[in-house]
Amino acid sequence: MAEAHQAVAFQFTVTPEGVDFRLSREALKHIYLSGINSWKRRLIRIKNGILRGVYPGSPTSWLVVVMTTLGSSYCNVDISMGLICFIQRWLPEGCGPYRAPQTRTLLSVAIFSTGVWMMGILFFRQTLKLLLSYHGWMFEMHGQTSHFTKVWAMCVRLLSGRRPMLYSFQTSLPKLPVPSVSATIHRYLESVKHLLDDKEYYRMETLAKEFQEKTAPRLQKYLVLKSWWATNYVSDWWEEYVYLKGRTPLMVNSNYYVMDLVLVKNADVQAARLGNIVHAMIKYRHKLDREEIKPVMVLGIVPMCSYQMERMFNTTRIPGKDTDVLQHLTDSRHVAVYHKGRFFKLWLYEGSRLLRPRDLEMQFQRILDDPSPPQPGEEKLAALTAGGRAEWAQVRQAFFGSGKNKAALDAIERAAFFVALDEESHRYDPEDEASLSLYGKALLHGSCYNRWFDKSFTLIAFKNGQLGLNTEHAWADAPIIGHLWEFVLGTDSFDLGYTETGHCLGKPNPVLAPPQRLQWDIPEQCQAVIESSYRVAKALADDVELYCFQFLPFGKGLIKKCRTSPDAFVQIALQLAHFRDRGRLCLTYEASMTRMFREGRTETVRSCTCESTAFVRAMAQGRHLKADLQDLFRKAAEKHQNMYRLAMTGAGIDRHLFCLYVVSKYLGVKSPFLAEVLSEPWRLSTSQTAQFQIRMFDPNQYPNHLGAGGGFGPVANDGYGVSYMIAGENTIFFHVSSKFSSSETNAQRFGNHIRQALLDIADLFQVPKADS
């Protein structure tokens, strides 16, 4: 077979005349090109490291400084104030290259100019860091920008340079500040006052005061010390203690899903859709490695931290007995594929060349056409990643540490990402509301064994060409994978395209070696553990109720006519819906970003405020004048926006208390206040899905090119998880999750309350609504 000969560089046979070597020129060519490609990547990393290290300086700016200094010296103007002569005296003399006076002068000028250039870079960086520490612009009313903020914005633009690379601003971003204990305690008590009766509030206030006066000062000193020493005082502990030390299953509890475009259909050929999407993903990785992706900028001015993007590809969560670790490789040239209980290794490159979409389509089709059955224990093997972490760690150590099992597991864990080829079809049908929920359930957990939940993300392809992602949460937050997904869907729709029959463009290369079937030797003892993990995962998946729907009456276009932010509008509607659903309000979690700080991740916005409570209760009573309700709503919206801004600017509540709690555990200090705060359940956990981070196309020209966002499982057993995407001007997608085992929750019932709450608030402002 030609494919087998390409797999090795040479063959030999022993004959009576000696040893007969037969070289494979094609294989040697691929090895040579692969080596060249590897060295190219190394040189690019070195070049980018240098350019990033001197940003906002550049080789051109260095040359300008050198030529200016040299020109002034020829005009007998010493702008160095004697420093060039001083450097010249310290240069070694003798018969070497420094003997000629002109050479010594040029070298002295170059040294002086380089020093001035480096000092200028450090000055600009520190000035930019100081400017980026100003957040007053966030608290100014829309359309009422102060003169100070306008001057500040001009200075930031001036110092930001013209063509920043992805990580150019990392060293210029300010560190996340540690709030004062008194401010955090004050904001915490304010966030729970309306949720507790007088007796409970007095008890909590007493605990908080005791903590603030006795325990907190010592803990705060250690935290401030860490903030001076570490890049970010929260992120490493958040990743370790919230994600990696968790022993419960990742599926449903931690991983989240992302949906495909739902209002347009690019192609319905499963392999073809994957050919384009995988090709686009590796193109994105190529840009990521070369730092050619522009950093995300707030309002086009303020850069966001990009460090989370480093582990997007080639990353796997490795289970451990007490804690997991994230394994990240600098490169991977293949993807792992699952289809009908079999695992495959699919190469992405031929030599140094990335396979074209048509070649990738052919390779995926080969997997789809492969008739071989699963090996014993292979079909449900991935259920190990869906069950308990400690059990998976024990099995991995016992049965996957050597031989063919280790080689096969390495192929999965060292892959760029994981691809699941599903046999069922899913697609959103506006005429069938349940279709979106079924699509979401399939992405969230699938069959519990056809996703590798440990990989940074699993790309899921259904039989009808519809796609989606299941994403592990430890390595990054949702906006990061959203950035990739926007690029990929935009490239698929507007750059790559399909033939009239739905296949990728171009002609395939039939001599490519087929995907490699992974080989396993799974004993019965291991199969029993696999089956046990599957039962745990199946029970968890069956308990999840997911209700996804598209809200059609209006979107952010008409919400803005209420003169409030769309996010505040939706969050207050969620409070009203929850009160109608459960008859009470609850502690509410909304995720916000702290990426304006270096290595920032998230902070909690406690959306259930005194002001939103007042509005909800007034709406429930039904006897207030519309003008009074409008006033209460505006106060609630303003409060929410202020809380969101505080969270984004490092003045949140929960990350500070979390870190104080970690310090107390290290010091062996008991704090009843921190123990109670950290154990409070989030019965309403919410998140807004980011969109249009990349302008791949004009949304006004292509209004139907919208994804439906994504979702996650409920955080509390008797609570709701709500993800929403305010998709353009005219629609909102909601993903509501709960558990069947709770008699108090019902995802569809809560979804209907959300619908009605949105409509009722819109009616207060007489906002005209489109037909449903």
Side-chain angles (χ1 to χ4, degrees):
M1 292 174 61
E3 297 86 357
H5 287 291
Q6 290 177 16
V8 292
F10 66 90
Q11 297 175 334
F12 69 91
T13 56
V14 179
T15 66
E17 290 77 21
V19 180
D20 179 24
F21 286 93
R22 294 196 300 275
L23 297 177
S24 171
R25 293 182 180 180
E26 188 67 21
L28 289 174
K29 175 185 173 183
H30 289 324
I31 292 172
Y32 169 76
L33 291 175
S34 178
I36 293 295
N37 194 47
S38 177
W39 276 104
K40 280 182 180 178
R41 285 197 305 273
R42 292 178 188 175
L43 293 174
I44 288 168
R45 290 193 187 104
I46 293 171
K47 183 198 77 171
N48 288 343
I50 294 171
L51 293 176
R52 188 190 329 122
V54 301
Y55 193 84
S58 65
T60 304
S61 65
W62 175 82
L63 189 61
V64 168
V65 175
V66 172
M67 296 304 294
T68 301
T69 308
L70 194 61
S72 67
S73 67
Y74 278 111
C75 295
N76 296 319
V77 178
D78 187 9
I79 62 174
S80 72
M81 295 183 291
L83 282 175
I84 292 178
C85 293
F86 178 78
I87 295 170
Q88 197 168 348
R89 285 197 302 269
W90 278 89
L91 289 176
E93 298 180 359
C95 58
Y98 312 112
R99 187 173 184 182
Q102 288 185 337
T103 303
R104 293 168 64 83
T105 301
L106 285 172
L107 189 58
S108 300
V109 167
I111 293 172
F112 170 77
S113 301
T114 302
V116 170
W117 181 66
M118 292 298 295
M119 288 178 63
I121 290 171
L122 291 173
F123 173 76
F124 282 134
R125 279 188 179 176
Q126 292 303 313
T127 305
L128 183 58
K129 182 180 286 189
L130 186 64
L131 289 169
L132 294 176
S133 299
Y134 167 71
H135 300 118
W137 59 274
M138 290 192 67
F139 296 88
E140 294 179 348
M141 296 293 291
H142 183 69
Q144 299 180 13
T145 307
S146 66
H147 292 297
F148 181 85
T149 297
K150 289 178 181 177
V151 173
W152 166 83
M154 290 175 60
C155 293
V156 172
R157 283 196 177 100
L158 184 66
L159 294 176
S160 294
R162 291 184 300 169
R163 289 178 293 180
M165 296 188 298
L166 179 62
Y167 303 120
S168 292
F169 293 111
Q170 290 300 100
T171 55
S172 298
L173 292 173
K175 288 188 175 184
L176 183 69
V178 181
S180 68
V181 173
S182 59
T184 298
I185 295 295
H186 172 75
R187 283 193 285 267
Y188 168 77
L189 291 174
E190 185 184 23
S191 73
V192 299
K193 186 174 183 179
H194 52 286
L195 297 174
L196 304 174
D197 58 33
D198 292 342
K199 184 178 179 180
E200 278 295 307
Y201 180 74
Y202 175 76
R203 187 183 68 84
M204 186 56 72
E205 189 179 36
T206 303
L207 287 175
K209 186 177 180 180
E210 181 183 2
F211 170 74
Q212 183 178 340
E213 293 176 352
K214 296 181 179 179
T215 312
R218 182 186 176 196
L219 305 182
Q220 180 79 348
K221 287 177 183 177
Y222 282 96
L223 208 54
V224 170
L225 182 63
K226 186 193 176 187
S227 73
W228 293 345
W229 177 256
T231 309
N232 188 293
Y233 82 91
V234 176
S235 294
D236 58 337
W237 284 349
W238 187 254
E239 179 179 299
E240 180 181 359
Y241 292 104
V242 173
Y243 293 117
L244 297 181
K245 280 190 175 294
R247 302 293 83 195
T248 57
L250 300 183
M251 187 194 76
V252 175
N253 294 319
S254 180
N255 285 26
Y256 57 94
Y257 66 86
V258 184
M259 286 185 170
D260 196 358
L261 300 175
V262 292
L263 302 181
V264 295
K265 182 175 73 171
N266 285 330
D268 54 10
V269 179
Q270 187 178 19
R273 193 79 201 287
L274 276 173
N276 269 3
I277 293 295
V278 171
H279 182 85
M281 282 183 165
I282 302 304
K283 280 183 64 178
Y284 182 94
R285 187 181 69 170
H286 181 76
K287 288 178 174 288
L288 194 64
D289 290 342
R290 291 172 174 257
E291 301 182 29
E292 294 172 354
I293 297 170
K294 294 180 180 179
V296 177
M297 313 280 277
V298 179
L299 301 179
I301 301 174
V302 180
M304 306 282 271
C305 181
S306 303
Y307 100 100
Q308 293 182 59
M309 302 175 98
E310 295 175 0
R311 298 180 294 183
M312 187 178 296
F313 295 94
N314 327 322
T315 298
T316 299
R317 180 166 170 166
I318 305 297
K321 182 180 179 181
D322 299 314
T323 184
D324 295 352
V325 294
L326 288 174
Q327 172 187 281
H328 173 68
L329 307 176
T330 56
D331 192 29
S332 177
R333 297 173 62 83
H334 72 277
V335 293
V337 184
Y338 179 91
H339 175 244
K340 282 189 175 180
R342 296 92 42 83
F343 291 88
F344 296 83
K345 181 178 183 179
L346 190 154
W347 293 102
L348 298 167
Y349 293 85
E350 183 187 16
S352 62
R353 182 183 65 83
L354 173 64
L355 294 184
R356 294 183 294 267
R358 189 68 181 88
D359 292 330
L360 288 167
E361 178 189 348
M362 178 188 70
Q363 297 292 64
F364 282 114
Q365 192 60 52
R366 284 174 167 175
I367 293 175
L368 291 169
D369 295 339
D370 188 320
S372 60
Q375 300 161 76
E378 182 182 18
E379 182 179 14
K380 295 182 180 178
L381 176 64
L384 292 171
T385 69
R389 302 306 293 170
E391 293 80 3
W392 172 206
Q394 292 172 0
V395 170
R396 188 177 187 276
Q397 184 177 15
F399 300 106
F400 297 89
S402 62
K404 60 172 64 174
N405 286 349
K406 184 181 187 303
L409 184 62
D410 281 348
I412 295 173
E413 293 182 339
R414 300 175 70 86
F417 51 90
F418 193 80
V419 180
L421 299 172
D422 281 17
E423 282 297 293
E424 56 186 25
S425 295
H426 286 285
R427 192 185 299 279
Y428 173 47
D429 179 4
E431 301 299 320
D432 178 13
E433 186 182 72
S435 61
L436 195 63
S437 302
L438 293 172
Y439 177 27
K441 281 274 283 183
L443 294 175
L444 181 63
H445 53 69
S447 64
C448 303
Y449 55 79
N450 58 353
R451 317 275 182 259
W452 198 269
F453 294 100
D454 287 356
K455 288 300 290 182
S456 55
F457 65 89
T458 295
L459 173 62
I460 301 158
F462 297 104
K463 198 166 187 177
N464 58 352
Q466 194 75 4
L467 302 176
L469 299 175
N470 184 287
T471 308
E472 202 278 319
H473 211 324
W475 64 273
D477 301 307
I480 304 301
I481 201 72
H483 194 280
L484 163 70
W485 200 230
E486 284 185 33
F487 175 88
V488 166
L489 294 180
T491 302
D492 176 46
S493 299
F494 300 103
D495 291 348
L496 298 177
Y498 299 89
T499 65
E500 292 182 358
T501 55
H503 293 278
C504 296
L505 301 175
K507 294 183 178 180
N509 178 10
V511 300
L512 285 174
Q516 176 187 346
R517 178 77 188 276
L518 299 185
Q519 300 299 314
W520 307 91
D521 182 13
I522 302 174
E524 291 185 0
Q525 186 180 354
C526 181
Q527 292 180 38
V529 180
I530 293 172
E531 191 61 33
S532 175
S533 293
Y534 169 67
R535 288 194 298 269
V536 170
K538 184 72 164 56
L540 180 60
D542 289 345
D543 194 27
V544 174
E545 180 185 9
L546 187 66
Y547 179 55
C548 307
F549 65 94
Q550 181 183 11
F551 181 77
L552 289 167
F554 56 86
K556 70 177 180 181
L558 295 182
I559 291 176
K560 289 178 180 178
K561 294 183 179 180
C562 301
R563 306 191 67 175
T564 188
S565 82
D567 183 67
F569 189 99
V570 173
Q571 283 291 328
I572 295 169
L574 290 175
Q575 294 301 317
L576 179 58
H578 190 273
F579 186 81
R580 290 171 173 174
D581 184 80
R582 302 284 293 272
R584 62 182 182 274
L585 294 161
C586 71
L587 201 61
T588 304
Y589 181 110
E590 182 188 6
S592 72
M593 293 188 298
T594 56
R595 288 174 59 203
M596 290 192 295
F597 301 97
R598 191 170 181 183
E599 295 189 11
R601 290 197 61 162
T602 61
E603 176 59 275
T604 305
V605 180
R606 292 179 168 235
S607 302
C608 184
T609 62
C610 291
E611 290 78 4
S612 64
T613 299
F615 169 75
V616 167
R617 294 192 183 281
M619 285 286 288
Q621 289 170 3
R623 57 175 182 266
H624 288 72
L625 295 176
K626 183 175 288 188
D628 294 335
L629 292 171
Q630 289 177 353
D631 183 58
L632 289 170
F633 175 83
R634 288 197 176 98
K635 287 179 179 178
E638 288 172 9
K639 178 66 174 182
H640 180 270
Q641 287 177 262
N642 188 61
M643 294 283 289
Y644 203 98
R645 291 163 181 156
L646 286 171
M648 286 188 68
T649 54
I653 300 168
D654 291 276
R655 298 301 177 270
H656 185 203
L657 293 177
F658 162 75
C659 288
L660 290 172
Y661 180 74
V662 173
V663 174
S664 74
K665 287 296 182 182
Y666 279 132
L667 298 178
V669 176
K670 292 185 178 181
S671 169
F673 171 73
L674 288 177
E676 188 156 339
V677 170
L678 271 294
S679 63
E680 291 172 340
W682 300 99
R683 290 193 171 88
L684 181 55
S685 181
T686 70
S687 179
Q688 181 183 178
T689 303
Q691 61 170 335
F692 300 134
Q693 298 181 77
I694 310 176
R695 289 288 176 178
M696 295 289 291
F697 60 91
D698 183 0
N700 295 320
Q701 187 177 355
Y702 301 96
N704 288 330
H705 278 71
L706 295 172
F712 52 87
V715 174
N717 289 330
D718 59 345
Y720 290 113
V722 180
S723 176
Y724 54 94
M725 188 174 81
I726 304 171
E729 299 294 312
N730 303 309
T731 191
I732 308 173
F733 286 97
F734 285 92
H735 305 252
V736 184
S737 64
S738 64
K739 291 194 173 182
F740 288 113
S741 56
S742 172
S743 59
E744 299 184 45
T745 57
N746 182 294
Q748 184 164 356
R749 182 185 70 206
F750 187 45
N752 291 332
H753 282 308
I754 293 172
R755 273 198 187 94
Q756 192 58 50
L758 290 166
L759 294 171
D760 290 347
I761 294 174
D763 284 340
L764 290 179
F765 296 90
Q766 296 180 335
V767 177
K769 299 171 285 295
D771 293 335
S772 302

